[in-house]
Amino acid sequence: ERTFNQFKHGSQEMKIIALILARGGSRGIFKKNIKLLNGKPLMDYIIDEAIKCKFFDEVVVSTEDTEIQNHIKEKYLYNYNGHGAKHFNLVTRPPELATDESKSIDAVKHALSVVDADYVVLLNACCPFTKATDIANCVKMALETKCDSVVSLVEDFSSHPNKVCRLQGDNKIDPVGSSFQTGERQLGDYKIFKRNTAIYLAKKEVIMSGTFFGPDTRGFVMPKERSLDINDEFDWKIAELILKN
């Protein structure tokens, strides 16, 4: 297995940053990013894993929220020891880029206007079970293949085309797959994956074009147990159960 230095050799001029978007508001759970999950603010789980990753020149948190800013300054920014990632940074996001209707890509573009980088690894603050090894493996994939983007995936049997449908008027079923009505268990030789929303890696030029997905986008598969994305109270209770067992 190639070492970290071997991966960085030839790419040392490339700046790679981790970016965590942590706005103060939330649709499903009040002040979700700063809420304590098993005694620890939710966003701190992914921040701590990002810091462990030696590939990063900087770990950057973007927020418009004063409470989150103060927490980041006190826990990370003022006491950063440089282990793993080289630097830690805090970006103040404009409030108009932190609403329920705001797009993540615009917040990432704003962060890049403050902290320049060749590669951005966007890490979801609501995915507390993502590990530093998952993050590092996505970066390795990008450096090895020189691809435009890497996105984390999870296998999802429940989303196979033969099991899903659309609903038309009067709740009439419109099958997506050919075997929906038969309930056929044989789903073919291929597996189905979906984005688990934990990790999005992209080159700067791809992001500035308005997307995370470049012409050459690769998928990094994560296990189901590390793919929980907390969106509502049910997800929160599941995360608590996992952490307590």
Side-chain angles (χ1 to χ4, degrees), residues 30-185:
F30 181 70
K31 296 187 78 69
K32 176 173 62 175
N33 287 321
I34 198 80
K35 182 178 178 179
L36 297 183
L37 176 64
N38 201 33
K40 179 177 178 177
L42 173 60
M43 63 184 178
D44 288 11
Y45 286 90
I46 192 62
I47 293 173
D48 290 344
E49 294 301 313
I51 286 171
K52 295 176 187 176
C53 187
K54 294 182 179 180
F55 282 106
F56 293 134
D57 297 286
E58 288 188 49
V59 173
V60 182
V61 175
S62 167
T63 184
E64 88 298 353
D65 185 80
T66 301
E67 183 181 4
I68 292 177
Q69 289 173 347
N70 290 337
H71 169 73
I72 294 298
K73 289 175 183 177
E74 292 171 11
K75 183 173 180 179
Y76 297 104
L77 194 60
Y78 295 155
N79 301 298
Y80 191 65
N81 57 23
H83 291 168
K86 295 178 184 177
H87 303 287
F88 196 95
N89 210 333
L90 176 63
V91 170
T92 301
R93 197 188 328 173
E96 61 269 22
L97 296 181
T99 68
D100 286 347
E101 291 74 33
S102 300
K103 295 181 179 179
S104 295
I105 191 72
D106 294 328
V108 176
K109 285 183 178 181
H110 171 263
L112 277 172
S113 73
V114 179
V115 181
D116 196 25
D118 298 291
Y119 284 95
V120 176
V121 183
L122 179 64
L123 301 172
N124 189 347
C126 301
C127 294
F129 301 115
T130 304
K131 296 299 182 185
T133 51
D134 298 318
I135 302 167
N137 283 329
C138 282
V139 177
K140 288 177 184 178
M141 183 179 289
L143 295 180
E144 282 188 320
T145 66
K146 303 186 187 305
C147 63
D148 299 302
S149 312
V150 178
V151 59
S152 60
L153 307 171
V154 63
E155 186 177 356
D156 187 16
F157 178 79
S158 66
S159 293
H160 195 282
N162 285 350
K163 297 184 71 177
V164 297
C165 67
R166 292 176 288 263
L167 280 180
Q168 299 179 341
D170 296 327
N171 287 341
K172 183 178 180 182
I173 286 178
D174 177 21
V176 173
S178 59
S179 299
F180 181 86
Q181 291 95 335
T182 64
E184 185 179 330
R185 293 186 61 83

Side-chain angles (χ1 to χ4, degrees), residues 220-239:
F220 173 73
V221 180
M222 290 173 57
K224 186 175 182 179
E225 62 268 22
R226 296 207 300 275
S227 295
L228 180 64
D229 180 13
I230 299 178
N231 288 300
D232 53 31
E233 292 290 349
F234 180 79
D235 295 334
W236 190 275
K237 292 183 185 300
I238 294 295

Side-chain angles (χ1 to χ4, degrees), residues 208-224:
M208 298 311 292
S209 74
T211 181
F212 294 108
F213 304 95
D216 184 357
T217 296
R218 309 294 174 103
F220 173 73
V221 180
M222 290 173 57
K224 186 175 182 179

